[in-house]
Structures are given as structure tokens and as C-alpha cells.
Amino acid sequence: MKIVAKKKLWKYLFWLGPFLITVGLTVGLVSQQWGLIPLAFLIAGIVISGLGIIWQSYQSNWWRRRSTQAGTNALVATLAVLAILGLINFLGTRYHLRADLTETQLFTLAPQSRELVRVLPQPVKVWVFDINQNPQDRELLENYQRQSSKFKYEYIDPQARPGLAEKFGVKDYGEVYLESGDKRQLVQTVNENERLSEVRLTSRLQQLTNSTTAKVYLLQGHGERQLSPGKGAISQAIQGLGDKNFTTSSLNLGETSKVPQDAVVVIVAGPKRGLFEGEVKALQEYLNRGGNLLLMIDPNTDPKVDSLLQEWGVRLDNRLAVDVSGESVVGLGPATPLVTEYGQHPITKDFRNGNSFYPIARPLEISSVPGVEATPLLRTKPYPKSWAESDLQSEKLEFNADKDLKGPLTLGVALIRKAAKSASTPQAAPTPSPLPSPTIQSKTSPASPASPAPPAPPAPPAPTPSPTPSSQTATESRLVVLGNSNFATDGLFQQQLNGDVFLNSVTWLSQQEKQPLSIRPKEPKNRRITLTTTQANLLILSSLLVLPLIGFAIAVIIWWKRR
């Protein structure tokens, strides 16, 4: 009787363990505080349950049974699988690993966007005033948020929070705003037909976080590209500069004798008539004091800037750049070079093998000049895909070995010139030194040792030892020369990488290293097959008549052989 009583006592004690565990869990979940009391119940219940299991196994030899061992192995395997899955989920929440397998990287932020978000100087928040949360827009905002903890976003129902909507001045559903400190800016309005754009969001983000503005002047008065909308205008390019926080103004050097002091970049876009000598000198003086100039010169024009370009080792070729590589693939004419090869330069570093095209372009010749660093930006394909055509009157463009130049051709170049600018002298001495080098160096180099001119070089070192080094400051001038301006006109500006070439050139010229370069919207490539009427009819006949007849003929042949 005593043995039976002891067994019942241990049996009741065993059930006390699960009871205490249930009490501990209930107290902790109800109070939402896992303090001393719920932990004490849990620990006591676990200890009693464990002792009860050990006692029961000792009394009945439970551990020695084959079924117990098999069940224990299954339990251990199950717990191991659960532990592995829990560890994977834990690592997944702590470390994010995403792979974008789309061809154009549709779900990956551009390098410019990532760089801008990672160095945000202060917290930024995106407010989307809309009821519906589009998955594509949320994915884009999540990509931004993964780059920095300073970037946040939130969807707001304007009807549920009218005070906040009034604070931002919301007028319609779908408006997206950026907020940083006390600054607010409208990004765009999203709807079913227009989704949130990375290009606009990055541009507005850069404007909001960068308080400085750069002044860009566009030369006018010589038939340059029109700034306002119109045929052959560059109004879209002007709008793109505004989106990147540039302020643009027209400049007529015939009215003013010099480039304004606040000019960060001067653009000469496709002049049809020559500049006056005084205007060219004004641009030279602007470059000499550390200015930045973008020249876009079309063929069959003479802007009279040869003296300026000679100082930098650039010569405008009067021939026409011909490229036949784009005729069969994208339908471009031979007078529209298709460029897929770019130089290793900040302007084109992210282009890879993307496309840009330049209708009616002229090649450039680059020569070495002391103190000038030149980097070709745009190159056509090698001959016979491209060449420089000298006969512009012929309707049929053919390579002539006597007059034409074999490709690859350089259509654009970026140059840097570092010099010492003296405060006491108007920099007259350094200016003539580069001028003769590209023009008479090859002809006069043999005669120069015999001429009395060599004593001239010792003259510059004479002022060098003078005790006025503090009056000299190192300056850097930048120049970009492109043999075409059509690529930046309205309609062509938004095609392929054309707009990037223009905006990146201006951004690099502005010498604002923190300014992100231009990015292009990512679009899925069109993989649809376009058939002509003849091709469609042929496909119908082949699928509904030819293929069934072939199958029927094969069946008849097999039957005839086996009969």
C-alpha cells in the first residue's frame, strides 16, 4: 500500500509541473512584464516536470525501450531542424542579402542614389499622401531606406489626418513630399499611370540637402540653341539643370565685356556664327581665372574659337563623322554615330556599354599640351564601321583613303588645366607658352636649338625666387568639348544616355564633387516580336497547314513501313 501511495504522490507532483508552467506563462502574457514572479513559476514548473520525467523513466525503464529511443531521435532531429530554421530567420532579419536578376537592374538603386543617401547630413522623410500603397513604390522606398537609417518614409491618408495634409499643402491624392528639418518639397504626384520615379526622388533629395546653388550661363547672340521650348531648342536640358539645383541665365558677351564673377559654368551650345575676337578673349580670361567651359560645336560651322582650343590641344575637324553600325540594328542613319565606348572619366564612368547617339557630328583631334590633362569621352567604332567623311556633298557616303580619316573617332573630350595665378600680374607670361606648342612645334623643333630664342626660358625662373609666393594661388580650369549639340535638343535629350552626357558634363565642370551625376530611369527592355503582315500570314499558314501536313505525312510513312 505504501509503494502504491508513493507512486500516486509522484504522479500528482508530475502534473504540478505543467500547471506551474501554465501559471507562469499566463502571468507574464497578461501583465506583459516578465519579472520575478512569472519567471519563478516557469522555473519551478520546468524543474518539477523534468524530475517527474526522470522518475517515470527510472521506474519503468522507459529510456531502454526501442520505441523511446526512436522517438527521442526523431525529437532531437525535429529540434535541430527548428533550431537551424530559427538561426536562418535570425540571420535574415539581421543581414539583408538581395539579388536583382533583371537585365536592366530594375529593382536596384543607381550608384548615384546610393551614394547620396549614405552620406545624408540630416534625417530625411518621404510623405506619400495616398490611400493605396503601390508595391512598386514601396519597394523603391525600401531600397532607399536600406541605404541609411536617416531615410524614412510613411504613407498618410489625407482624410484621416487633415491637419498634416494642410501643413504640406496637399491638394490631391498621390502627392509625394520630402521633408528635412523645416524644409519641404514636392517630389511628384503618383497615380495608376505614373509611378514614383527614382530620378525625381534623387534630384529632389539632392536639392533639399544641398543649400548651395550654382550659376550656369548659356552664351547667346551667335545662333546658339534656343533656351525656351521650340524646334531645335534645349529647354529640356535647361529643365534638367534646374532639377539638379543649377540656376541658368543667358549671356551675351557682345553687351558685357567679361564673364560674370558668379559664373560656375559657361555653355556654348551650337553657335552658327563666329564669335567676336573680344568674346573669345573674354572666355579665355574666364578660363585663366579658374572658369569652366562647355563647348558643343556642330559641323559646317566656324565659331572662331580655334585660338582658345589651341591652348588646350584641341582642334575641330571639318569632316563629318560617319557611323554605319547603327543602321541595321536601331535604324540610325550613317550621319548619326552610335557611341557605346566611353572613356574612364567621372562623366562617363557609370555608362558601361550604354547607347548614346549624335546626329550630324564632327570629330575632334587631341594633341598633348604641357599642363593640360585630356581624357577622351566619346569614341566611335573602328573602321570600317566609322570614318570621317570629307565629301559632304555626295549623296552616297563612301570611304576615300586620300581624304577621309579611319575610325575610331573622338567626338568628345574632357580637359583639366592646372596653373599658378599671380595676383600681381595679369597672367600674361604663361598664356603664350601653350599657344605655339600645338601649331609650330613639329615645324620649328629642329630650328629652335640654333635660334637665339632658347635664352627666353630662363626668364620665367627669375620671378620665381622672388619673395612673393603667397601672391600665387593654384587654380584649376575645366573644359569639355563635344563635336555635336543636336544630342541635347528637345526630344533627343531624353533618349538613351544623351541627357546624361550633357548633365554629367555640366556637373563635372561645376567642380561640385558632392553633386551626384545624372541617372537614367530604368525601364524593362521590350522583348516583344513585331511582325509584318507577310510574316504574320506566313506564321499562320505554317502553324495551321504546313506543320499538321508534315505530321500527317510522317504518320503515313510510319504506318506504311509497319503494315
Side-chain angles (χ1 to χ4, degrees), residues 412-526:
V413 62
L415 307 105
I416 295 179
R417 184 175 67 185
K418 296 182 179 180
K421 181 179 68 174
S422 175
S424 58
T425 59
Q427 221 173 351
T431 305
S433 57
L435 279 171
S437 56
T439 54
I440 62 174
Q441 183 178 3
S442 59
K443 296 181 179 180
T444 60
S445 54
S448 57
S451 62
T464 304
S466 61
T468 58
S470 59
S471 63
Q472 294 184 349
T473 56
T475 63
E476 177 179 292
S477 302
R478 296 185 179 185
L479 173 67
V480 172
V481 184
L482 304 175
N484 180 261
S485 67
N486 287 314
F487 78 98
T489 56
D490 295 352
L492 298 180
F493 178 80
Q494 296 179 337
Q495 299 295 323
Q496 301 296 325
L497 294 173
N498 286 16
D500 296 75
V501 174
F502 177 83
L503 294 178
N504 285 5
S505 297
V506 178
T507 301
W508 178 76
L509 286 170
S510 67
Q511 303 190 31
Q512 298 183 15
E513 304 302 335
K514 295 183 179 180
Q515 176 95 320
L517 298 180
S518 175
I519 59 176
R520 301 300 299 166
K522 299 171 184 175
E523 300 176 354
K525 286 194 174 181
N526 185 6

Side-chain angles (χ1 to χ4, degrees), residues 238-252:
I238 299 301
Q239 182 180 356
L241 291 176
D243 291 339
K244 295 182 69 62
N245 218 28
F246 288 103
T247 303
T248 58
S249 297
S250 60
L251 172 64
N252 193 326

Side-chain angles (χ1 to χ4, degrees), residues 308-442:
L308 183 150
L309 293 176
Q310 284 179 0
E311 298 181 9
W312 296 76
V314 180
R315 192 183 76 85
L316 298 173
D317 197 317
N318 292 324
R319 288 170 285 198
L320 176 68
V322 175
D323 183 4
V324 298
S325 62
E327 288 186 276
S328 59
V329 181
V330 293
L332 298 176
T336 303
L338 178 68
V339 173
T340 58
E341 298 180 8
Y342 304 94
Q344 295 297 322
H345 192 272
I347 295 177
T348 55
K349 66 178 181 179
D350 295 323
F351 288 1
R352 297 181 178 89
N353 59 343
N355 298 321
S356 60
F357 55 94
Y358 306 86
I360 315 298
R362 72 193 306 167
L364 309 174
E365 294 184 11
I366 315 300
S367 59
S368 178
V369 172
V372 175
E373 178 184 346
T375 304
L377 298 177
L378 312 171
R379 285 187 179 275
T380 63
K381 295 177 175 57
Y383 178 81
K385 293 293 185 179
S386 71
W387 69 88
E389 177 66 42
S390 57
D391 187 3
L392 305 183
Q393 305 299 325
S394 176
E395 296 182 359
K396 188 176 181 180
L397 299 176
E398 295 180 347
F399 178 76
N400 188 330
D402 298 333
K403 301 179 181 180
D404 300 338
L405 176 66
K406 293 183 178 181
L409 308 174
T410 299
L411 303 183
V413 62
L415 307 105
I416 295 179
R417 184 175 67 185
K418 296 182 179 180
K421 181 179 68 174
S422 175
S424 58
T425 59
Q427 221 173 351
T431 305
S433 57
L435 279 171
S437 56
T439 54
I440 62 174
Q441 183 178 3
S442 59

Side-chain angles (χ1 to χ4, degrees), residues 530-547:
T530 303
L531 300 178
T532 63
T533 304
T534 303
Q535 292 173 335
N537 294 333
L538 181 61
L539 181 61
I540 293 174
L541 290 175
S542 62
S543 59
L544 298 181
L545 184 61
V546 177
L547 292 180

